[in-house]
Amino acid sequence: KAGVTQTPRYLIKTRGQQVTLSCSPISGHRSVSWYQQTPGQGLQFLFEYFSETQRNKGNFPGRFSGRQFSNSRSEMNVSTLELGDSALYLCASSINTGPEQYFGPGTRLTVT
Amino acid sequence: AQSVTQPDIHITVSEGASLELRCNYSYGATPYLFWYVQSPGQGLQLLLKYFSGDTLVQGIKGFEAEFKRSQSSFNLRKPSVHWSDAAEYFCVVAAGGGADGLTFGKGTHLIIQP
């Protein structure tokens, strides 16, 4: 069974731009969560989607948003990019809303 | 709110030696507990998990972890490390059945000496 896939793997954007990252969960998994990983803050929870609904949200500004489609694929969007948004963005999927999550390889976003 | 402490930022171990990575959590009840490993440029791989029952859990790659309620700890162990074990290890808590997402420790960077 294929794992979680994320596209693109690397991205370079300029301050003020917006970006959209994509995540395809493991087949049969219906929950998708997003995390931000930075050297200073470590891994932080962004939000979780289940059945196309945001179930939970971490402590991030409204510039960070996401959505989930009927096939469970998810996208996250960051608007008005700031230098501090440079990070590895990780997507994880789980079968339903259980805590056992499986991670993708991440998207490395660099904001210049 | 729950929190996770990994007191060792870096640990250096000789190949073939035993390993113990420490983890302490703070939460009002017994949370779900995990260890994940991250190799450079890679995502996170689930090593093992504890939900309930037997407090000694076995995982992949020869790793095990022991849950000690009295010490709020969930330490990761391996009897003999291999050079391929060099990576970043994260202790993770899922409180409330995971309803609030996963809470990660800061990670322990494991270095293997030949």
Side-chain angles (χ1 to χ4, degrees), chain A residues 13-70:
Chain A
K13 289 287 188 179
T14 304
R15 266 183 306 174
Q17 289 185 315
Q18 74 164 17
V19 67
T20 299
L21 312 182
S22 180
C23 171
S24 293
I26 293 171
S27 177
H29 285 198
R30 298 167 61 200
S31 175
V32 173
S33 297
W34 288 89
Y35 296 83
Q36 181 195 63
Q37 184 176 24
T38 60
Q41 299 298 316
L43 277 144
Q44 295 181 285
F45 171 69
L46 279 157
F47 29 66
E48 179 191 8
Y49 285 86
F50 177 75
S51 292
E52 303 178 64
T53 301
Q54 186 179 89
R55 205 173 82 93
N56 218 330
K57 190 178 193 304
N59 189 26
F60 278 82
R63 299 186 296 107
F64 291 81
S65 63
R67 59 177 175 167
Q68 186 180 35
F69 302 95
S70 58

Side-chain angles (χ1 to χ4, degrees), chain B residues 5-66:
Chain B
T5 301
Q6 293 181 246
D8 303 305
I9 298 173
H10 300 278
I11 280 190
T12 300
V13 177
S14 298
E15 190 169 15
S18 64
L19 170 70
E20 182 168 28
L21 302 183
R22 297 181 292 163
C23 171
N24 291 95
Y25 68 89
S26 174
Y27 183 59
T30 299
Y32 298 125
L33 295 161
F34 307 86
W35 278 96
Y36 282 86
V37 61
Q38 186 177 35
S39 298
Q42 305 284 323
L44 294 156
Q45 182 180 25
L46 178 62
L47 281 177
L48 46 77
K49 63 192 178 194
Y50 174 78
F51 287 178
S52 65
D54 193 347
T55 57
L56 184 63
V57 293
Q58 303 297 320
I60 62 171
K61 303 184 179 187
F63 285 93
E64 67 178 25
E66 186 172 14

Side-chain angles (χ1 to χ4, degrees), chain B residues 62-77:
Chain B
F63 285 93
E64 67 178 25
E66 186 172 14
F67 169 63
K68 292 186 177 180
R69 185 190 308 274
S70 61
Q71 298 175 22
S72 296
S73 69
F74 188 56
N75 294 349
L76 181 71
R77 300 194 293 249

